[in-house]
Amino acid sequence: MKSLLSTLLLLLVLSLCLVTGLGFRQGRVDEPLYPSPSFKRTAPLSNYFAQLKNTPGDTEIFEFGEQDGGGTVLVLGGTHCDEPASYLAAYLLIENLKLERGRVLVVPRANRSALSHTTPGEAFPASFEIETANGPRRFRMGSRYTNPLDQWPDPEVFVHYPSGQELSGMDSRNLNRNYPGRADGSFTQRVGHALAELVRVENVDLVIDLHEASLEYPVINAIVAHERAMDCASIAVLELQLEGLDFALEPSPANFHGLSHRELGDHTACMATLMESANVIQGRLRGRTGAETILKGQDPMYVRAAEIEMTRVPYTEDGIPLEVRVGRHIEGVAKLISGFNQVKPERAITYAGVPGYSDLQKNGLGHYLSGTK
Amino acid sequence: MSEGAVLAVMLAALGGAVFLLRLPTGVALFLSAMLGSLASGNGLGLSFLTEGSMLYLDPIMIVITSLFFMAVFERSGALGTLNVWVVRTFGRHSFLLVSFLMLLVMFPGMVTGLTAPCVLTTGAMIAPLLLSTGASPATAGAFIATGAFFGMVAPPVNICAMLICGGVDMPYIGFDLPLLAATIPLALLSAYLLMGARFRSFDPDAALALLPMSRYDAHGIKLFLPLLLLLVLMLGEKILPGVIPFLGIPLIFVVSALLGLFTGDKVSIRDSALWATRESLSILALLAGIGAFIEVLTLSGARGWIVINLLSLPDWQLYLGMAILVPLFGGISAYGASVVLGVPILLSLLDRNNILIAAALSMLASIGDFMPPTRLAILLAGPIVGEDRVSRILKRSVWPIVLSVILTLAMIYFANDLAKLFGLA
């Protein structure tokens, strides 16, 4: 009797592993993107660091425009893949951008491995859907960290290279703590190194790394800028404020290492910037977690948090929907490029076709992600 | 169903399964998580339960492999030999002996930031010596669990503090002095409160008669090669990064245990592995169940409900709430408490010195290793000292816990003044 029960339990566990394993495997499948006609080509990141070839770290770079005297901007989405506005803003650029001068490189899944799983304990949905003219379109939710199947085990203490700064072991799988990367380092360090190589080889002038953060996090609805990018970012913030979008300007901390705005700024010639929008699903105070939380950004616990002044941005029952978060990123990208054009007019980058913040609020995100371009 | 109601359902299910149905706590946590998922309208939530049960995969592997290492270390004769050496060296100096034993238990925690390696390695090594003084198993267990707790908090590696830092983008710098000051004096005081009287009347010759014989004459210094390898592999990556590779703690235990097969008395690898599996099975189930429980707490919004209710408390109640809720949440997971409660609390106290606040919160969260449902430190110490009712170990650990809570609240209240004292202002 006991052995029969044990066998049945074992079969039950194996069935559970099989059923859920098949679901988790879907996380490895990249959703298709439909680049705009202005799109020139894609290149794998491994072109800049061959060791990444045929690994989950090899990710697509979408290139728009030519080396025509204009500057080059690199937009990074999906550095942290539990920050959906970051990669959806990158997808939206890829599917709508019509470049007129200069070059735009978009890496929508900077840490592709992090988009292949979710973080245990966070109860994130595996995916969410956005309504488009062609029916619902499914997008994956990912993790802040590289998939442990690609990099494991974590050390107890992660020592950043080359600064020697110590962080918790889990941050060894956080791409935005691993810049400028290391050619002979861990998986995540190699991805960081490849992205830094991309910046160097392509002479990127301006890097814009897109992120989201919880509402209680001090650096929120903000542009963080390296010293060299400060003029460009100041102009951008001023223009955003004039359009009624509240953005703070934060200098990149000199003593906090591993972040893109610090290390790409220090180790390459680019102007390095990073943008943060406010997303309740990042927060520890959030209530129910699900796809609706991502899409509508509504959460009654954060309403209470706002009442006791725990949030760094205004927050009401209306929430902060995905359209608002992606819209802020898209508008922020536009204004940072505008700032760059004013700082370096001889290398101006111009484009059209990308909806602005108000277009997104009016027509919805699905209108610009219909997948029929 | 509201978030608070879902939490009530989960806790009621957990209590019912443990106390009425007498199910193992790990299974009870899993069932409670499943009910929580149903109550919150998420169906059975199989993918969440599976994902959650993976949350503590690393600690699960550490527990089973460290027990395997200890089985080999003991059966090879090294453990008995080590105890005999300690008694002969420090046996006539009670102050030195108690201090040495406490620091010895703490050491693995100081380099790993975990309690389990303390209890299962150095704690297990000195358990026979503690019992040979005539101390009750509960007292010996409390000594080991307390040392493990202080080791987890003490520098250089305090994972809870690192996680809090990670949550607010703050480098883990400047923690060594405050953490040393918070842990070492209190650890030594606790050691004396627990074992001081026993060691003052300690008779080394009587203890030697009770302890296993030294096998030093038969095998010499090579008996301790597994321990040396363990230390080299654990510390090497930190001291010589890039030269000594980081294998991960589970593999380090396995490699060191395998060496132990050749350095002392003959050891059966099969018997040692079976013993380690049997001893750890209930703990492994517990850790998997807690992972699933946390996942559903988050999914249902009960986690956020707990946090926001804590942060909504007025000033003095917030201190009381912190003193109770952070360790209690740490009972589910000390790391979880650091991230889920520690980060928002730190952000609500930004007018005070961040380092002192993070250090204090990390200590409060680490107290969770004494708290149910996991009670990891005392749960692991129980079988090592032969105490079946681990609640007795908890009772003996009350004073170190109470003193630690008082100290951490003082650290938070006087954070800015203490920061000046430590040169951090």
Side-chain angles (χ1 to χ4, degrees), chain B residues 218-249:
Chain B
H219 305 294
I221 196 75
K222 74 176 178 7
L223 265 175
F224 299 109
L225 286 179
L227 187 60
L228 183 69
L229 179 65
L230 186 79
L231 288 173
V232 167
L233 291 176
M234 272 194 184
L235 297 176
E237 192 267 344
K238 294 177 183 73
I239 296 166
L240 297 168
V243 179
I244 297 178
F246 177 69
L247 303 177
I249 292 182

PDB file of all heavy atoms in Angstrom, chain B residues 218-249:
ATOM      1  N   ALA B 218      46.330   7.706  14.405  1.00  0.00           N
ATOM      2  CA  ALA B 218      46.175   6.779  13.270  1.00  0.00           C
ATOM      3  C   ALA B 218      46.330   7.478  11.925  1.00  0.00           C
ATOM      4  O   ALA B 218      46.888   6.912  10.978  1.00  0.00           O
ATOM      5  CB  ALA B 218      44.815   6.097  13.354  1.00  0.00           C
ATOM      6  N   HIS B 219      45.829   8.694  11.826  1.00  0.00           N
ATOM      7  CA  HIS B 219      45.772   9.333  10.488  1.00  0.00           C
ATOM      8  C   HIS B 219      46.551  10.650  10.393  1.00  0.00           C
ATOM      9  O   HIS B 219      46.763  11.144   9.278  1.00  0.00           O
ATOM     10  CB  HIS B 219      44.311   9.588  10.110  1.00  0.00           C
ATOM     11  CG  HIS B 219      43.452   8.360  10.155  1.00  0.00           C
ATOM     12  ND1 HIS B 219      43.615   7.304   9.303  1.00  0.00           N
ATOM     13  CD2 HIS B 219      42.424   8.020  10.987  1.00  0.00           C
ATOM     14  CE1 HIS B 219      42.715   6.363   9.577  1.00  0.00           C
ATOM     15  NE2 HIS B 219      41.992   6.765  10.608  1.00  0.00           N
ATOM     16  N   GLY B 220      46.890  11.241  11.523  1.00  0.00           N
ATOM     17  CA  GLY B 220      47.650  12.485  11.488  1.00  0.00           C
ATOM     18  C   GLY B 220      46.831  13.656  10.984  1.00  0.00           C
ATOM     19  O   GLY B 220      45.590  13.620  10.955  1.00  0.00           O
ATOM     20  N   ILE B 221      47.528  14.676  10.526  1.00  0.00           N
ATOM     21  CA  ILE B 221      46.889  15.944  10.159  1.00  0.00           C
ATOM     22  C   ILE B 221      45.984  15.809   8.938  1.00  0.00           C
ATOM     23  O   ILE B 221      45.081  16.614   8.717  1.00  0.00           O
ATOM     24  CB  ILE B 221      47.987  17.027   9.923  1.00  0.00           C
ATOM     25  CG1 ILE B 221      47.384  18.428   9.930  1.00  0.00           C
ATOM     26  CG2 ILE B 221      48.732  16.786   8.624  1.00  0.00           C
ATOM     27  CD1 ILE B 221      47.018  18.907  11.307  1.00  0.00           C
ATOM     28  N   LYS B 222      46.208  14.741   8.142  1.00  0.00           N
ATOM     29  CA  LYS B 222      45.401  14.615   6.926  1.00  0.00           C
ATOM     30  C   LYS B 222      43.907  14.408   7.234  1.00  0.00           C
ATOM     31  O   LYS B 222      43.066  14.605   6.364  1.00  0.00           O
ATOM     32  CB  LYS B 222      45.943  13.520   6.015  1.00  0.00           C
ATOM     33  CG  LYS B 222      45.712  12.093   6.407  1.00  0.00           C
ATOM     34  CD  LYS B 222      46.269  11.229   5.273  1.00  0.00           C
ATOM     35  CE  LYS B 222      46.242   9.764   5.373  1.00  0.00           C
ATOM     36  NZ  LYS B 222      45.680   8.957   6.287  1.00  0.00           N
ATOM     37  N   LEU B 223      43.597  14.074   8.494  1.00  0.00           N
ATOM     38  CA  LEU B 223      42.189  13.988   8.897  1.00  0.00           C
ATOM     39  C   LEU B 223      41.428  15.276   8.573  1.00  0.00           C
ATOM     40  O   LEU B 223      40.241  15.255   8.279  1.00  0.00           O
ATOM     41  CB  LEU B 223      42.116  13.771  10.416  1.00  0.00           C
ATOM     42  CG  LEU B 223      41.992  12.357  10.964  1.00  0.00           C
ATOM     43  CD1 LEU B 223      42.064  12.413  12.475  1.00  0.00           C
ATOM     44  CD2 LEU B 223      40.691  11.713  10.520  1.00  0.00           C
ATOM     45  N   PHE B 224      42.148  16.389   8.665  1.00  0.00           N
ATOM     46  CA  PHE B 224      41.479  17.690   8.523  1.00  0.00           C
ATOM     47  C   PHE B 224      41.578  18.272   7.114  1.00  0.00           C
ATOM     48  O   PHE B 224      41.166  19.395   6.883  1.00  0.00           O
ATOM     49  CB  PHE B 224      42.041  18.680   9.559  1.00  0.00           C
ATOM     50  CG  PHE B 224      41.805  18.228  10.965  1.00  0.00           C
ATOM     51  CD1 PHE B 224      42.857  17.789  11.756  1.00  0.00           C
ATOM     52  CD2 PHE B 224      40.524  18.180  11.479  1.00  0.00           C
ATOM     53  CE1 PHE B 224      42.631  17.336  13.049  1.00  0.00           C
ATOM     54  CE2 PHE B 224      40.290  17.722  12.772  1.00  0.00           C
ATOM     55  CZ  PHE B 224      41.344  17.300  13.558  1.00  0.00           C
ATOM     56  N   LEU B 225      42.117  17.488   6.192  1.00  0.00           N
ATOM     57  CA  LEU B 225      42.215  17.993   4.813  1.00  0.00           C
ATOM     58  C   LEU B 225      40.842  18.350   4.215  1.00  0.00           C
ATOM     59  O   LEU B 225      40.726  19.367   3.512  1.00  0.00           O
ATOM     60  CB  LEU B 225      42.946  16.979   3.918  1.00  0.00           C
ATOM     61  CG  LEU B 225      44.463  16.893   4.131  1.00  0.00           C
ATOM     62  CD1 LEU B 225      45.074  15.833   3.211  1.00  0.00           C
ATOM     63  CD2 LEU B 225      45.118  18.248   3.883  1.00  0.00           C
ATOM     64  N   PRO B 226      39.772  17.555   4.463  1.00  0.00           N
ATOM     65  CA  PRO B 226      38.465  17.956   3.913  1.00  0.00           C
ATOM     66  C   PRO B 226      38.021  19.322   4.419  1.00  0.00           C
ATOM     67  O   PRO B 226      37.470  20.127   3.666  1.00  0.00           O
ATOM     68  CB  PRO B 226      37.512  16.861   4.407  1.00  0.00           C
ATOM     69  CG  PRO B 226      38.388  15.690   4.690  1.00  0.00           C
ATOM     70  CD  PRO B 226      39.697  16.250   5.145  1.00  0.00           C
ATOM     71  N   LEU B 227      38.277  19.573   5.734  1.00  0.00           N
ATOM     72  CA  LEU B 227      37.893  20.867   6.304  1.00  0.00           C
ATOM     73  C   LEU B 227      38.719  21.990   5.672  1.00  0.00           C
ATOM     74  O   LEU B 227      38.196  23.063   5.339  1.00  0.00           O
ATOM     75  CB  LEU B 227      38.108  20.835   7.818  1.00  0.00           C
ATOM     76  CG  LEU B 227      37.617  22.034   8.598  1.00  0.00           C
ATOM     77  CD1 LEU B 227      36.132  22.234   8.434  1.00  0.00           C
ATOM     78  CD2 LEU B 227      37.956  21.876  10.086  1.00  0.00           C
ATOM     79  N   LEU B 228      40.007  21.709   5.485  1.00  0.00           N
ATOM     80  CA  LEU B 228      40.884  22.708   4.869  1.00  0.00           C
ATOM     81  C   LEU B 228      40.431  23.005   3.441  1.00  0.00           C
ATOM     82  O   LEU B 228      40.342  24.172   3.028  1.00  0.00           O
ATOM     83  CB  LEU B 228      42.328  22.176   4.874  1.00  0.00           C
ATOM     84  CG  LEU B 228      43.369  23.144   4.333  1.00  0.00           C
ATOM     85  CD1 LEU B 228      43.544  24.323   5.274  1.00  0.00           C
ATOM     86  CD2 LEU B 228      44.724  22.439   4.143  1.00  0.00           C
ATOM     87  N   LEU B 229      40.111  21.931   2.691  1.00  0.00           N
ATOM     88  CA  LEU B 229      39.654  22.125   1.310  1.00  0.00           C
ATOM     89  C   LEU B 229      38.364  22.936   1.288  1.00  0.00           C
ATOM     90  O   LEU B 229      38.188  23.836   0.452  1.00  0.00           O
ATOM     91  CB  LEU B 229      39.444  20.761   0.642  1.00  0.00           C
ATOM     92  CG  LEU B 229      38.948  20.805  -0.810  1.00  0.00           C
ATOM     93  CD1 LEU B 229      39.993  21.434  -1.718  1.00  0.00           C
ATOM     94  CD2 LEU B 229      38.601  19.403  -1.320  1.00  0.00           C
ATOM     95  N   LEU B 230      37.479  22.619   2.226  1.00  0.00           N
ATOM     96  CA  LEU B 230      36.198  23.352   2.322  1.00  0.00           C
ATOM     97  C   LEU B 230      36.459  24.842   2.517  1.00  0.00           C
ATOM     98  O   LEU B 230      35.869  25.693   1.837  1.00  0.00           O
ATOM     99  CB  LEU B 230      35.388  22.793   3.499  1.00  0.00           C
ATOM    100  CG  LEU B 230      33.974  23.324   3.683  1.00  0.00           C
ATOM    101  CD1 LEU B 230      33.016  22.661   2.711  1.00  0.00           C
ATOM    102  CD2 LEU B 230      33.479  23.080   5.106  1.00  0.00           C
ATOM    103  N   LEU B 231      37.365  25.161   3.432  1.00  0.00           N
ATOM    104  CA  LEU B 231      37.672  26.568   3.710  1.00  0.00           C
ATOM    105  C   LEU B 231      38.313  27.239   2.503  1.00  0.00           C
ATOM    106  O   LEU B 231      37.972  28.367   2.144  1.00  0.00           O
ATOM    107  CB  LEU B 231      38.604  26.676   4.921  1.00  0.00           C
ATOM    108  CG  LEU B 231      37.971  26.381   6.273  1.00  0.00           C
ATOM    109  CD1 LEU B 231      39.021  26.354   7.373  1.00  0.00           C
ATOM    110  CD2 LEU B 231      36.914  27.431   6.596  1.00  0.00           C
ATOM    111  N   VAL B 232      39.260  26.530   1.883  1.00  0.00           N
ATOM    112  CA  VAL B 232      39.967  27.112   0.724  1.00  0.00           C
ATOM    113  C   VAL B 232      38.985  27.402  -0.401  1.00  0.00           C
ATOM    114  O   VAL B 232      38.999  28.475  -1.006  1.00  0.00           O
ATOM    115  CB  VAL B 232      41.086  26.155   0.234  1.00  0.00           C
ATOM    116  CG1 VAL B 232      41.618  26.583  -1.129  1.00  0.00           C
ATOM    117  CG2 VAL B 232      42.223  26.121   1.247  1.00  0.00           C
ATOM    118  N   LEU B 233      38.094  26.444  -0.672  1.00  0.00           N
ATOM    119  CA  LEU B 233      37.158  26.639  -1.779  1.00  0.00           C
ATOM    120  C   LEU B 233      36.120  27.716  -1.462  1.00  0.00           C
ATOM    121  O   LEU B 233      35.684  28.457  -2.337  1.00  0.00           O
ATOM    122  CB  LEU B 233      36.459  25.323  -2.134  1.00  0.00           C
ATOM    123  CG  LEU B 233      37.352  24.254  -2.769  1.00  0.00           C
ATOM    124  CD1 LEU B 233      36.581  22.958  -2.995  1.00  0.00           C
ATOM    125  CD2 LEU B 233      37.936  24.732  -4.094  1.00  0.00           C
ATOM    126  N   MET B 234      35.723  27.806  -0.183  1.00  0.00           N
ATOM    127  CA  MET B 234      34.716  28.813   0.184  1.00  0.00           C
ATOM    128  C   MET B 234      35.315  30.218   0.188  1.00  0.00           C
ATOM    129  O   MET B 234      34.693  31.171  -0.265  1.00  0.00           O
ATOM    130  CB  MET B 234      34.143  28.509   1.566  1.00  0.00           C
ATOM    131  CG  MET B 234      32.958  27.574   1.523  1.00  0.00           C
ATOM    132  SD  MET B 234      32.122  27.596   3.112  1.00  0.00           S
ATOM    133  CE  MET B 234      30.872  26.371   2.845  1.00  0.00           C
ATOM    134  N   LEU B 235      36.507  30.320   0.726  1.00  0.00           N
ATOM    135  CA  LEU B 235      37.125  31.649   0.869  1.00  0.00           C
ATOM    136  C   LEU B 235      37.961  32.032  -0.347  1.00  0.00           C
ATOM    137  O   LEU B 235      38.155  33.218  -0.615  1.00  0.00           O
ATOM    138  CB  LEU B 235      38.035  31.679   2.108  1.00  0.00           C
ATOM    139  CG  LEU B 235      37.348  31.454   3.454  1.00  0.00           C
ATOM    140  CD1 LEU B 235      38.379  31.415   4.566  1.00  0.00           C
ATOM    141  CD2 LEU B 235      36.343  32.565   3.718  1.00  0.00           C
ATOM    142  N   GLY B 236      38.441  31.013  -1.070  1.00  0.00           N
ATOM    143  CA  GLY B 236      39.398  31.274  -2.148  1.00  0.00           C
ATOM    144  C   GLY B 236      38.871  32.206  -3.206  1.00  0.00           C
ATOM    145  O   GLY B 236      39.576  33.113  -3.668  1.00  0.00           O
ATOM    146  N   GLU B 237      37.609  32.016  -3.583  1.00  0.00           N
ATOM    147  CA  GLU B 237      37.054  32.829  -4.660  1.00  0.00           C
ATOM    148  C   GLU B 237      36.991  34.300  -4.243  1.00  0.00           C
ATOM    149  O   GLU B 237      37.092  35.197  -5.062  1.00  0.00           O
ATOM    150  CB  GLU B 237      35.674  32.284  -5.022  1.00  0.00           C
ATOM    151  CG  GLU B 237      35.093  32.843  -6.303  1.00  0.00           C
ATOM    152  CD  GLU B 237      34.223  34.052  -6.053  1.00  0.00           C
ATOM    153  OE1 GLU B 237      33.848  34.258  -4.890  1.00  0.00           O
ATOM    154  OE2 GLU B 237      33.962  34.794  -7.023  1.00  0.00           O
ATOM    155  N   LYS B 238      36.833  34.500  -2.908  1.00  0.00           N
ATOM    156  CA  LYS B 238      36.746  35.885  -2.429  1.00  0.00           C
ATOM    157  C   LYS B 238      38.137  36.496  -2.305  1.00  0.00           C
ATOM    158  O   LYS B 238      38.346  37.666  -2.615  1.00  0.00           O
ATOM    159  CB  LYS B 238      36.030  35.935  -1.075  1.00  0.00           C
ATOM    160  CG  LYS B 238      34.583  35.519  -1.172  1.00  0.00           C
ATOM    161  CD  LYS B 238      33.920  35.502   0.192  1.00  0.00           C
ATOM    162  CE  LYS B 238      32.482  35.016   0.082  1.00  0.00           C
ATOM    163  NZ  LYS B 238      32.347  33.589  -0.167  1.00  0.00           N
ATOM    164  N   ILE B 239      39.104  35.664  -1.850  1.00  0.00           N
ATOM    165  CA  ILE B 239      40.449  36.194  -1.633  1.00  0.00           C
ATOM    166  C   ILE B 239      41.222  36.268  -2.952  1.00  0.00           C
ATOM    167  O   ILE B 239      41.924  37.240  -3.223  1.00  0.00           O
ATOM    168  CB  ILE B 239      41.204  35.308  -0.605  1.00  0.00           C
ATOM    169  CG1 ILE B 239      40.490  35.392   0.751  1.00  0.00           C
ATOM    170  CG2 ILE B 239      42.652  35.757  -0.446  1.00  0.00           C
ATOM    171  CD1 ILE B 239      40.910  34.335   1.733  1.00  0.00           C
ATOM    172  N   LEU B 240      41.096  35.225  -3.755  1.00  0.00           N
ATOM    173  CA  LEU B 240      41.804  35.194  -5.042  1.00  0.00           C
ATOM    174  C   LEU B 240      40.804  34.990  -6.184  1.00  0.00           C
ATOM    175  O   LEU B 240      40.778  33.928  -6.822  1.00  0.00           O
ATOM    176  CB  LEU B 240      42.836  34.047  -5.051  1.00  0.00           C
ATOM    177  CG  LEU B 240      43.964  34.138  -4.032  1.00  0.00           C
ATOM    178  CD1 LEU B 240      44.717  32.833  -3.950  1.00  0.00           C
ATOM    179  CD2 LEU B 240      44.923  35.271  -4.409  1.00  0.00           C
ATOM    180  N   PRO B 241      39.955  35.982  -6.446  1.00  0.00           N
ATOM    181  CA  PRO B 241      38.957  35.800  -7.507  1.00  0.00           C
ATOM    182  C   PRO B 241      39.644  35.577  -8.856  1.00  0.00           C
ATOM    183  O   PRO B 241      40.638  36.223  -9.174  1.00  0.00           O
ATOM    184  CB  PRO B 241      38.177  37.120  -7.493  1.00  0.00           C
ATOM    185  CG  PRO B 241      39.038  38.099  -6.791  1.00  0.00           C
ATOM    186  CD  PRO B 241      39.901  37.327  -5.855  1.00  0.00           C
ATOM    187  N   GLY B 242      39.125  34.645  -9.593  1.00  0.00           N
ATOM    188  CA  GLY B 242      39.714  34.345 -10.904  1.00  0.00           C
ATOM    189  C   GLY B 242      40.771  33.266 -10.831  1.00  0.00           C
ATOM    190  O   GLY B 242      41.050  32.587 -11.816  1.00  0.00           O
ATOM    191  N   VAL B 243      41.404  33.103  -9.644  1.00  0.00           N
ATOM    192  CA  VAL B 243      42.438  32.071  -9.482  1.00  0.00           C
ATOM    193  C   VAL B 243      41.790  30.782  -8.972  1.00  0.00           C
ATOM    194  O   VAL B 243      41.958  29.704  -9.543  1.00  0.00           O
ATOM    195  CB  VAL B 243      43.535  32.543  -8.500  1.00  0.00           C
ATOM    196  CG1 VAL B 243      44.588  31.453  -8.309  1.00  0.00           C
ATOM    197  CG2 VAL B 243      44.159  33.835  -9.008  1.00  0.00           C
ATOM    198  N   ILE B 244      41.037  30.923  -7.869  1.00  0.00           N
ATOM    199  CA  ILE B 244      40.285  29.775  -7.348  1.00  0.00           C
ATOM    200  C   ILE B 244      38.840  29.930  -7.821  1.00  0.00           C
ATOM    201  O   ILE B 244      38.184  30.921  -7.494  1.00  0.00           O
ATOM    202  CB  ILE B 244      40.358  29.717  -5.819  1.00  0.00           C
ATOM    203  CG1 ILE B 244      41.827  29.496  -5.395  1.00  0.00           C
ATOM    204  CG2 ILE B 244      39.472  28.608  -5.266  1.00  0.00           C
ATOM    205  CD1 ILE B 244      42.052  29.469  -3.927  1.00  0.00           C
ATOM    206  N   PRO B 245      38.345  28.979  -8.604  1.00  0.00           N
ATOM    207  CA  PRO B 245      36.994  29.156  -9.165  1.00  0.00           C
ATOM    208  C   PRO B 245      35.926  28.999  -8.093  1.00  0.00           C
ATOM    209  O   PRO B 245      36.130  28.281  -7.106  1.00  0.00           O
ATOM    210  CB  PRO B 245      36.897  28.024 -10.192  1.00  0.00           C
ATOM    211  CG  PRO B 245      37.827  26.975  -9.688  1.00  0.00           C
ATOM    212  CD  PRO B 245      38.941  27.694  -8.984  1.00  0.00           C
ATOM    213  N   PHE B 246      34.804  29.675  -8.285  1.00  0.00           N
ATOM    214  CA  PHE B 246      33.674  29.508  -7.382  1.00  0.00           C
ATOM    215  C   PHE B 246      32.830  28.346  -7.887  1.00  0.00           C
ATOM    216  O   PHE B 246      32.273  28.401  -8.974  1.00  0.00           O
ATOM    217  CB  PHE B 246      32.829  30.772  -7.297  1.00  0.00           C
ATOM    218  CG  PHE B 246      31.616  30.597  -6.419  1.00  0.00           C
ATOM    219  CD1 PHE B 246      31.762  30.447  -5.045  1.00  0.00           C
ATOM    220  CD2 PHE B 246      30.345  30.547  -6.958  1.00  0.00           C
ATOM    221  CE1 PHE B 246      30.653  30.262  -4.228  1.00  0.00           C
ATOM    222  CE2 PHE B 246      29.231  30.365  -6.143  1.00  0.00           C
ATOM    223  CZ  PHE B 246      29.396  30.226  -4.779  1.00  0.00           C
ATOM    224  N   LEU B 247      32.753  27.283  -7.093  1.00  0.00           N
ATOM    225  CA  LEU B 247      32.028  26.087  -7.516  1.00  0.00           C
ATOM    226  C   LEU B 247      30.573  26.107  -7.072  1.00  0.00           C
ATOM    227  O   LEU B 247      29.770  25.326  -7.562  1.00  0.00           O
ATOM    228  CB  LEU B 247      32.700  24.838  -6.934  1.00  0.00           C
ATOM    229  CG  LEU B 247      34.175  24.624  -7.269  1.00  0.00           C
ATOM    230  CD1 LEU B 247      34.708  23.387  -6.568  1.00  0.00           C
ATOM    231  CD2 LEU B 247      34.360  24.482  -8.772  1.00  0.00           C
ATOM    232  N   GLY B 248      30.243  26.987  -6.161  1.00  0.00           N
ATOM    233  CA  GLY B 248      28.914  26.927  -5.549  1.00  0.00           C
ATOM    234  C   GLY B 248      29.026  26.100  -4.280  1.00  0.00           C
ATOM    235  O   GLY B 248      29.725  25.082  -4.248  1.00  0.00           O
ATOM    236  N   ILE B 249      28.333  26.549  -3.227  1.00  0.00           N
ATOM    237  CA  ILE B 249      28.490  25.880  -1.925  1.00  0.00           C
ATOM    238  C   ILE B 249      28.130  24.393  -1.973  1.00  0.00           C
ATOM    239  O   ILE B 249      28.852  23.568  -1.422  1.00  0.00           O
ATOM    240  CB  ILE B 249      27.686  26.635  -0.842  1.00  0.00           C
ATOM    241  CG1 ILE B 249      28.334  27.997  -0.622  1.00  0.00           C
ATOM    242  CG2 ILE B 249      27.678  25.871   0.468  1.00  0.00           C
ATOM    243  CD1 ILE B 249      27.674  28.835   0.440  1.00  0.00           C
TER     244      ILE B 249
END
